Amino acid sequence: MLRLMARSAGPDDARSEAGDTLIEVLIALVIISIAVTGLMGALLTSITTSGEHRSLSVEDTILRSYAETYESQIQFQSSPDFRECATVSDYAKSLTAPSTPAGYTVGFTVQYGNVSGSSFDQTCGTSDKTGVQLITLNAQGPGAMQTLAFVVRN
């Protein structure tokens, strides 16, 4: 014998067919918008940090390229360009700089080893003719600046 049971429409059945209320939809939208705002903030931070890191990497590559080129030209050539008491303008005339990407600039300073051997002086005097010079390179790019120093000898 087969018995069929009829379901009566109670208050729960009416509620399940009614759909979502406006308040529920608004609360869901607020939760989703807060989550999307957080994700967009994280994405923006990631993009900004990536740009800064790229700029620092390019500057580091530029500085190393300049340092290797200048060091080679000043002291490792068959006729090196090293000169006692050479100024920045003296070296700028005789050294060939590597190519620099657009938006980046490179400058340098020269300091002269003191006879004591413990320091470098900004100007070259009689006590600074030691055959040792400190060359400091400065690379400036979008949003950052880096410095690299190296010593050359006669």
Side-chain angles (χ1 to χ4, degrees):
M1 184 174 257
L2 184 60
R3 286 175 51 173
L4 296 174
M5 295 181 75
R7 280 181 55 173
S8 64
D12 289 337
D13 289 338
R15 170 78 177 119
S16 67
E17 296 293 324
D20 296 328
T21 65
L22 181 60
I23 295 295
E24 291 171 333
V25 171
L26 289 176
I27 290 172
L29 282 174
V30 166
I31 291 171
I32 290 171
S33 64
I34 289 171
V36 167
T37 301
L39 289 173
M40 293 303 288
L43 183 62
L44 180 64
T45 301
S46 174
I47 290 170
T48 303
T49 304
S50 174
E52 290 172 4
H53 182 74
R54 181 174 13 108
S55 178
L56 289 172
S57 295
V58 170
E59 288 171 6
D60 185 59
T61 302
I62 292 169
L63 284 173
R64 290 179 188 278
S65 177
Y66 267 78
E68 289 175 10
T69 301
Y70 284 175
E71 187 176 21
S72 173
Q73 292 176 15
I74 292 172
Q75 69 181 20
F76 294 128
Q77 298 292 328
S78 56
S79 58
D81 286 335
F82 184 90
R83 285 182 237 131
E84 277 304 336
C85 295
T87 63
V88 171
S89 61
D90 291 335
Y91 278 140
K93 292 175 192 171
S94 65
L95 297 176
T96 305
S99 62
T100 306
Y104 293 88
T105 57
V106 177
F108 67 95
T109 60
V110 180
Q111 295 177 323
Y112 311 96
N114 197 306
V115 173
S116 68
S118 62
S119 65
F120 290 90
D121 297 331
Q122 300 290 330
T123 57
C124 187
T126 55
S127 66
D128 299 317
K129 294 185 178 182
T130 60
V132 178
Q133 296 174 350
L134 176 69
I135 297 180
T136 306
L137 298 167
N138 299 304
Q140 177 79 35
M145 181 177 152
Q146 287 193 61
T147 301
L148 176 69
F150 61 97
V151 173
V152 292
R153 301 182 195 300
N154 189 2

